[in-house]
Amino acid sequence: MSEQQVNERELIAYIVDKTGADEAGIKTVLKHEQAFIEAAAKKPGDTIELDSDELVDYVMSRKDVKLNELQVENVLDAEMAYLIDKGLAGYED
């Protein structure tokens, strides 16, 4: 991600607090999100561009995801809020 590492337990606790989703569901969503990001990183260029709708669709297409679409979106939004708060991510205009 960057020089700073994400404290996974802290991140998951943050997401649980913000969304009320269960820890196992959050870990599953984050696992599939990471696979999606890794695939996007293999594309040429310096910047990884992610479409949030495509990401949600990808996560929802995985058979082991038990959360509904709104819950997945909330988990991803909470993760992004956490990363922005920590200075590890941001949005590009």
Side-chain angles (χ1 to χ4, degrees):
M1 183 155 266
S2 77
E3 294 173 12
Q4 292 179 295
Q5 291 298 316
V6 173
N7 179 330
E8 184 179 4
R9 279 190 284 191
E10 183 179 276
L11 170 63
I12 291 171
Y14 180 92
I15 295 171
V16 167
D17 183 56
K18 295 294 182 189
T19 67
D22 67 278
E23 189 173 319
I26 292 167
K27 286 181 178 181
T28 300
V29 169
L30 297 179
K31 173 184 74 172
H32 292 304
E33 176 197 29
Q34 187 61 40
F36 184 86
I37 291 169
E38 287 171 3
K42 291 179 181 175
K43 295 179 182 175
D46 296 341
T47 305
I48 299 173
E49 292 188 29
L50 299 175
D51 180 284
S52 61
D53 292 332
E54 288 178 13
L55 173 56
V56 171
D57 290 344
Y58 175 81
V59 171
M60 291 301 300
S61 73
R62 307 295 96 183
K63 293 186 186 319
D64 60 340
V65 174
K66 305 296 184 223
L67 302 178
N68 65 42
E69 187 170 347
L70 181 58
Q71 290 170 315
V72 169
E73 289 174 359
N74 289 340
V75 166
L76 295 172
D77 288 346
E79 179 199 23
M80 190 62 170
Y82 173 88
L83 295 174
I84 289 171
D85 287 350
K86 296 293 182 180
L88 299 172
Y91 291 104
E92 200 172 276
D93 293 332

